Amino acid sequence: MLDPGNLSGPACRIWAKSNQDPARSADEWLPLWRHMVDSGAVAGLLWDYWLPEAVRQRIGEALPAGEEDGRLLAVWLAGVHDIGKATPAFSCQSEALAERMREAGLEMKSRKTMPDRATAPHGLAGQVLLRDWLMECHGWRKPATGQVTVIVGGHHGVPPEPGQSTDLDAHPELLRTPGPSEALWARVQRELLEACADHFGVTDRLGEWGTVKLPQTVQVLLSAIVIVSDWIASNRDLFPYFPEDRPRTDEERIAAAWRGLDLPGPWRPALPEQDAEGLFAARFDLPEGARPRPVQEAAVQVAHRMSVPGLIIVEAPMGEGKTEAALAAAEILAARSGAGGCFFALPTMATSNAMFPRVVNWLDRLPVAEGGARWSVRLAHSKASLNKGYAELLRGSAQDISAVDLDGDGGDFRPAEDSVAARAELVAHQWLRGRKRHLLSSFVVGTVDQLLMAGLRTRHLALRHLAVAGKVVVIDEAHAYDAYMNTYLERVLGWLGAYGVPVVVLSATLPADRRRRLAEGYAGVEMDDPRFAALREAEGYPLITSVAPGGVPEVVEPGRSSRTAEVLVERLDDGLDVLAGRLRSELADGGCALVVRNTVKRVHATTKHLREELKKDGIEVSVAHARFLDLDRAAKDEELLRLFGPSGRIGDGEADPRPVRHVVVASQVAEQSLDVDFDLLVTDLAPVDLVLQRMGRLHRHLRPRPGKLGTARCLLAGVADWTAQVPEPVRGSVTVYGRHVLLRSAAALWPFLEKGDPVRLPDEISPLVQRAYGDGATGPVGWQEAMEAACAEHESAQRDKENKADTFRVAGAGKDGKSLAGWLRHDVQDAEDTRAGRAQVRDSGESLEVLVVQRHPDGSLTTVEWLPDGDGGLPLPTDAVPTARAARAAAASGLRLPVELSGAWIVDQVVAELEQFGVRAWQNKDAHWLDGQLLLQVSTDCHTPMQASAHRAQARLAGFRLDYSSTDGLEVTREG
């Protein structure tokens, strides 16, 4: 057993942790045997009270005695993971502790005289020691050892390369000091390994486990459990070093740590017994008399009916309640699969912020077992802590992580939720907020990058896999992801299918080929599997596709709701005078128009011209795009909703704030999750699915329309001359979307443009998308030569993107029994949740974000003066850490720089100039809001014309002038 009474003196002297904190006593240390006991005990508690049932089942399925074996294996591996510390290569690092080991007969050189010790990192050393022990003492074949020993070797986040263990075999002196003490080193290593096997009860199981072929999914999950157990057991506030302040038994020590950690347990939903109507009434705040729409009912039925919970793809028009359908399906799938949470992935921070309160409201309505429940919740993106709703959750969840001793029985390991009120308490748990741990919360809303990074070769990838393996995953707005991101998405879906994770994909509509590739990726079949061919032929709409891991897809066509619309599509030549004249005419009797441009540069140019031309007509012009300070962007979205949102937002007795005549000039932000309604739409030519998304902002709500605007109309611009032999999209649109996609979109819409027939929604949505993204020829005969050339260029670019993505993409799950050695490659980057990491899963380069602060003539800095709620003009001292309020306000003034300032050709110069304005006093942990951030110092002493009502600021950077206003956002102009 692992305790001083049963171990030899030399074994008790081997150390695992030494004091590195100068504020603590240099005599503090932790014996290896103690860390082994702690780590194994933590793994057992995680298995019993924290891991979702789905994860336990997945591990148990691979082992002869099921989950019982799964628990034993996880606990043993966690206990033995640091056996590599029982080597000279590790022990020499603390001279004082090494000397104590020498006194017990374990000789070793000093650290300085062991130049090759980097060949034997303790994880790899442990892998080799465990391999040899399993072969010599338990008869394992060498190939069988790798699938288990690699978990020990990779417990610091990267499984070793196959050649690394071979290299270490050539340096036995790093594992055991040659000479008189070599035999003692070997005896002590074996003693500790045998004591671990005995202590954790696996001695009698090792023989049978040697014949098992562990799936790589199970190896990944066990690796993650070991990593989490090690991190918890290494927290000295939970597991104090020796000498302890007072003696504790093993049970008391573990119990105090577990109570201090206080991890919330997983979600354990029961299968809902209500029909769809009853379920929706119980879970969502529906208007009186409302009932689920057909697509919502069908999603619930499919979730119940699938032979095995798997992938569900829901394609339905905007406004059909796909979010509620996904959450209802998620509850059913979780109950059937044993999932312990849900991850809701969205395209952007803005859409994630908007979804977070909706998910929290759903959680508040979920049933809980008698005695209540306590669930961990996380908003997962780089600015989550600036979200007001999430910030309130953080403040309400504050706690210290430290051991808690209780009088009485110290071994009662009850789940945390046993002692809370009879409802679900939602917490942002302190330990789960740590870097690399946030996705381990039970309920997560975040950007899709967080999911796609499960396909990125990065250190500690196993933790991200554990996080998703125990959840239902919902992927929203799947149509918004480009080919590069889809390359990662397909790989991640392959792993999710291998884990048996239920997935719900939501989209307004998908090209048939994309639908098929998502289903094939999840099912784990080869591309173009003939059993999936029907997915390319499915033309119904709405449409629900389902497939189980390794299964064959099924397609359901739900009945349509009564919501229909007709939109007339007309051509509009791309001239600003043409646009101004048309808007003047269309809005003569009143009305609100939305003009969508494909680049922010076109938004600015259009806005300036329209303001000048339409001001005499009393038509106000405003803008909406992403190039605003975070707080200004939030205020802009709120103002759009106030003016153009549902009439139900107006309180009793309040006047309708909707303007009589108004034009909003917007970028693609108008496509995403804003429930706004306009009388007329003007849009640049864009991919047809995005044009349809933009049409969803036309006549969205029931209200009277002025004059000629009673008919929904979309004016299609962004083409220099529609009468040319081949319409040529404007350059900015080609840069964003590519000529091929734009010409296919124009060709799909051409019959409506030529004949004047309306686009009937939702009937025409799927046919238009399939026509635009299909392989067949479309469009006038005179376009075909240009379209073929554009197609060849597009296909070449797609191949380049896929090859680029494959450089960083993790391999798919290999055959059962194949070790994870080399899974991530030894040169993997630690890009977890960083700008570089997020850039690797998006084909947009590494974005550059700055915090905007105001510089005054006397050189002092403040937050920008126009921030709301009294946060404007707060002092930011340069010789001290700012107040928490000022620092947070500055952090909320983030601004993403455009490609002119973040492209590969200029980004180094930009960063170098920005770093000159860094404040040294802010570069420490006490200024966590500002530490490491790039600052853009702006002046409000501006000399460029802007709206009189705007708050203005200006800066110069890398040869560009940056003009900012709170109403129009950032505009960048090259100087000279």
Side-chain angles (χ1 to χ4, degrees):
M1 297 293 284
L2 284 167
D3 66 72
N6 291 285
L7 293 174
S8 67
C12 291
R13 293 284 183 97
I14 295 177
W15 64 276
K17 308 283 181 182
S18 64
N19 179 44
Q20 302 293 327
D21 185 350
R24 297 177 184 257
S25 169
D27 294 332
E28 293 183 0
W29 72 298
L30 196 69
L32 178 58
W33 69 265
R34 178 71 267 170
H35 186 54
M36 288 175 156
V37 175
D38 293 342
S39 300
V42 169
L45 291 167
L46 292 173
W47 183 280
D48 294 339
Y49 301 123
W50 183 72
L51 284 179
E53 179 186 349
V55 173
R56 300 196 306 267
Q57 287 177 346
R58 179 69 187 128
I59 296 172
E61 287 167 357
L63 294 162
E67 290 187 37
E68 182 180 351
D69 262 358
R71 187 185 191 281
L72 284 172
L73 181 56
V75 169
W76 172 61
L77 286 171
V80 81
H81 79 274
D82 262 349
I83 185 61
K85 291 184 174 180
T87 60
F90 177 85
S91 299
C92 69
Q93 294 179 98
S94 170
E95 183 57 31
L97 295 173
E99 185 57 33
R100 293 185 60 193
M101 292 173 61
R102 293 186 189 106
E103 291 171 359
L106 294 168
E107 291 295 332
M108 70 193 83
K109 295 180 180 179
S110 68
R111 181 175 184 171
K112 292 181 179 179
T113 59
M114 207 179 297
D116 295 329
R117 54 177 298 276
T119 308
H122 72 268
L124 177 64
Q127 177 174 327
V128 170
L129 292 178
L130 185 60
R131 176 201 67 190
D132 293 347
W133 180 73
L134 288 171
M135 292 170 62
E136 294 167 8
C137 299
H138 294 275
W140 284 39
R141 294 183 304 107
K142 186 175 182 179
T145 63
Q147 58 187 339
V148 171
T149 60
V150 73
I151 296 166
V152 169
H155 76 264
H156 279 288
V158 181
E161 296 282 307
Q164 287 182 270
S165 56
T166 303
D167 292 343
L168 181 53
D169 285 337
H171 290 276
E173 73 280 1
L174 298 174
L175 302 180
R176 305 173 187 98
T177 303
S181 69
E182 183 174 3
L184 179 59
W185 275 106
R187 282 200 307 273
V188 167
Q189 291 162 354
R190 179 171 295 189
E191 178 185 3
L192 287 169
L193 287 166
E194 290 175 351
C196 267
D198 183 42
H199 186 92
F200 298 118
V202 303
T203 303
D204 294 338
R205 303 300 304 139
L206 289 172
E208 194 169 5
W209 288 350
T211 65
V212 169
K213 291 186 176 182
L214 283 183
Q216 287 198 329
T217 50
V218 173
Q219 295 178 50
V220 174
L221 295 175
L222 287 169
S223 295
I225 294 169
V226 169
I227 291 169
V228 174
S229 301
D230 180 30
W231 284 2
I232 294 173
S234 298
N235 184 323
R236 64 186 304 171
D237 291 321
L238 295 173
F239 292 93
Y241 287 5
F242 284 15
E244 294 184 277
D245 55 353
R246 70 175 183 82
R248 295 180 177 91
T249 65
D250 280 359
E251 292 77 13
E252 289 171 340
R253 178 180 171 89
I254 303 302
W258 189 248
R259 289 192 181 96
L261 183 60
D262 195 26
L263 275 181
W267 182 32
R268 297 183 179 92
L271 189 65
E273 298 179 354
Q274 310 102 310
D275 60 11
E277 187 168 355
L279 181 61
F280 274 71
R283 301 293 185 267
F284 307 109
D285 187 16
L286 302 178
E288 187 174 351
R291 65 181 313 277
R293 296 193 173 100
V295 72
Q296 294 173 326
E297 288 188 308
V300 167
Q301 291 166 4
V302 169
H304 274 297
R305 193 177 63 238
M306 294 183 76
S307 58
V308 176
L311 171 69
I312 300 175
I313 302 174
V314 180
E315 298 174 66
M318 300 73 74
E320 284 292 293
K322 294 190 291 293
T323 296
E324 288 75 17
L327 293 174
E331 182 179 356
I332 296 163
L333 294 170
R336 293 188 60 200
S337 68
C342 182
F343 179 18
F344 211 114
L346 298 109
T348 65
M349 291 186 197
T351 52
S352 300
N353 285 337
M355 184 60 65
F356 185 69
R358 297 176 67 181
V359 170
V360 169
N361 288 339
W362 170 67
L363 292 175
D364 282 338
R365 290 171 172 264
L366 287 176
V368 296
E370 184 177 352
R374 184 167 170 265
W375 298 326
S376 53
V377 183
R378 174 76 188 200
L379 178 61
H381 60 67
S382 59
K383 296 195 170 184
S385 55
L386 298 176
N387 178 278
K388 289 184 178 180
Y390 185 64
E392 290 176 4
L393 196 62
L394 288 175
R395 286 192 292 271
S397 308
Q399 69 177 101
D400 291 326
I401 302 296
S402 59
V404 178
D405 289 305
L406 294 182
D407 294 331
D409 182 12
D412 182 11
F413 304 122
R414 294 177 299 166
E417 58 262 30
D418 282 1
S419 60
V420 300
R423 63 176 298 277
E425 178 189 359
L426 306 181
V427 297
H429 192 273
Q430 178 108 357
W431 192 82
L432 295 173
R433 291 182 225 162
R435 183 170 177 259
K436 303 191 180 189
R437 301 196 289 261
H438 52 281
L439 294 190
L440 293 170
S441 298
S442 294
F443 295 95
V444 179
V445 177
T447 52
V448 72
D449 313 68
Q450 303 291 338
L451 176 65
L452 297 183
M453 281 194 279
L456 179 67
R457 289 189 300 105
T458 187
R459 188 178 293 274
H460 294 110
L461 180 61
L463 291 181
R464 196 172 289 267
H465 278 229
L466 175 63
V468 296
K471 294 182 174 66
V472 177
V473 174
V474 179
I475 304 170
D476 199 7
E477 301 194 37
H479 52 269
Y481 309 137
D482 62 19
Y484 184 88
M485 296 172 71
N486 277 317
T487 300
Y488 279 97
L489 180 57
E490 289 168 22
R491 179 57 48 82
V492 171
L493 284 174
W495 277 96
L496 295 178
Y499 287 120
V501 172
V503 179
V504 183
V505 174
L506 306 178
S507 179
T509 189
L510 288 171
D513 187 61
R514 176 102 306 273
R515 180 192 309 134
R516 177 186 59 80
R517 291 188 65 168
L518 293 178
E520 287 176 342
Y522 181 84
V525 302
E526 294 294 327
M527 192 180 299
D528 295 322
D529 188 303
R531 297 174 299 168
F532 288 68
L535 297 187
R536 299 195 67 174
E537 313 302 325
E539 295 182 351
Y541 191 74
L543 193 71
I544 296 182
T545 304
S546 61
V547 64
V552 178
E554 297 182 9
V555 175
V556 173
E557 296 183 18
R560 293 178 178 172
S561 70
S562 58
R563 295 161 52 94
T564 60
E566 292 186 351
V567 179
L568 288 172
V569 186
E570 304 175 27
R571 287 164 286 207
L572 184 68
D573 285 342
D574 196 64
L576 292 176
D577 288 333
V578 173
L579 175 62
R582 186 63 179 269
L583 289 172
R584 182 182 292 113
S585 170
E586 296 287 353
L587 304 183
D589 298 324
C592 299
L594 173 65
V595 179
V596 183
R597 297 307 207 189
N598 290 337
T599 66
V600 176
K601 186 174 182 179
R602 280 174 61 80
V603 169
H604 283 305
T606 302
T607 301
K608 289 178 182 177
H609 190 84
L610 292 182
R611 280 182 180 152
E612 185 64 31
E613 291 296 316
L614 300 180
K615 64 182 179 182
K616 54 182 173 290
D617 301 291
I619 300 174
E620 187 176 351
V621 180
S622 60
V623 305
H625 56 76
R627 213 173 288 171
F628 281 89
L629 300 189
D630 293 331
L631 287 173
D632 287 344
R633 168 76 186 277
K636 178 70 67 173
D637 287 351
E638 184 60 34
E639 180 70 358
L640 286 172
L641 285 171
R642 186 182 73 84
L643 296 178
F644 307 107
S647 56
R649 294 169 59 92
I650 304 170
D652 292 339
E654 292 184 20
D656 188 347
R658 188 178 179 88
V660 175
R661 292 195 296 175
H662 195 105
V663 176
V664 175
V665 185
S667 68
Q668 293 89 336
V669 297
E671 300 164 6
Q672 298 172 347
S673 299
L674 280 178
D675 187 10
V676 289
D677 164 58
F678 291 88
D679 304 308
L680 177 71
L681 172 67
V682 181
T683 175
D684 282 347
L685 176 64
V688 74
D689 48 329
L690 302 186
V691 172
L692 292 167
Q693 283 281 102
R694 296 170 189 184
M695 286 183 184
R697 274 55 186 163
L698 262 177
H699 292 209
R700 188 178 178 93
H701 308 139
L702 291 175
R703 56 164 41 101
R705 307 287 169 181
K708 64 179 77 173
L709 301 179
T711 298
R713 282 179 298 140
C714 169
L715 309 184
L716 201 59
V719 172
D721 181 6
W722 280 106
T723 64
Q725 182 176 357
V726 180
E728 188 60 39
V730 295
R731 187 171 65 177
S733 296
V734 172
T735 300
V736 175
Y737 296 118
R739 190 164 181 255
H740 166 71
V741 173
L742 294 174
L743 287 179
R744 294 285 302 190
S745 177
L749 292 166
W750 195 249
F752 300 94
L753 294 168
E754 284 285 279
K755 298 177 182 177
D757 294 336
V759 176
R760 294 176 173 83
L761 304 176
D763 300 30
E764 302 285 357
I765 292 178
S766 184
L768 277 170
V769 170
Q770 306 318 326
R771 194 179 308 145
Y773 288 98
D775 297 329
T778 186
V781 174
W783 296 13
Q784 296 310 304
E785 183 178 350
M787 293 184 73
E788 288 173 6
C791 180
E793 184 179 346
H794 170 76
E795 290 177 349
S796 176
Q798 295 296 93
R799 286 192 296 271
D800 289 345
K801 288 182 178 183
E802 291 179 3
N803 291 337
K804 178 183 175 184
D806 217 39
T807 304
F808 307 107
R809 194 172 57 158
V810 71
K815 64 181 181 181
D816 291 357
K818 181 181 178 182
S819 165
L820 283 178
W823 185 48
L824 302 179
R825 298 220 312 248
H826 70 280
D827 60 344
V828 67
Q829 298 298 307
D830 194 4
E832 178 88 5
D833 200 22
T834 62
R835 280 201 309 267
R838 292 188 292 274
Q840 284 178 359
V841 295
R842 290 184 186 260
D843 187 35
S844 55
E846 185 173 342
S847 62
L848 195 62
E849 185 176 51
V850 295
L851 301 185
V852 178
V853 299
Q854 186 170 333
R855 185 177 184 87
H856 296 270
D858 63 0
S860 63
L861 301 180
T862 67
T863 58
V864 291
E865 61 192 28
W866 61 84
L867 294 184
D869 303 324
D871 286 339
L874 296 177
L876 296 168
T878 57
D879 57 353
V881 173
T883 65
R885 180 181 180 184
R888 190 179 189 281
S893 301
L895 177 68
R896 290 188 183 276
L897 298 182
V899 68
E900 294 95 326
L901 291 166
S902 59
W905 59 91
I906 197 172
V907 67
D908 289 342
Q909 178 186 352
V910 170
V911 170
E913 291 190 19
L914 291 170
E915 286 179 339
Q916 294 178 21
F917 298 104
V919 179
R920 185 178 298 275
W922 301 353
Q923 308 308 308
N924 64 70
K925 63 182 181 180
D926 294 328
H928 66 276
W929 291 107
L930 307 175
D931 183 18
Q933 300 298 313
L934 295 171
L935 302 180
L936 178 67
Q937 298 184 11
V938 300
S939 168
T940 56
D941 183 19
C942 303
H943 304 287
T944 51
M946 290 188 183
Q947 276 191 296
S949 61
H951 296 284
R952 303 182 299 169
Q954 193 174 85
R956 283 175 167 78
L957 182 63
F960 288 84
R961 190 183 74 233
L962 283 63
D963 293 300
Y964 184 87
S965 83
S966 57
T967 55
D968 291 355
L970 178 67
E971 189 170 4
V972 174
T973 308
R974 182 179 288 278
E975 295 187 308

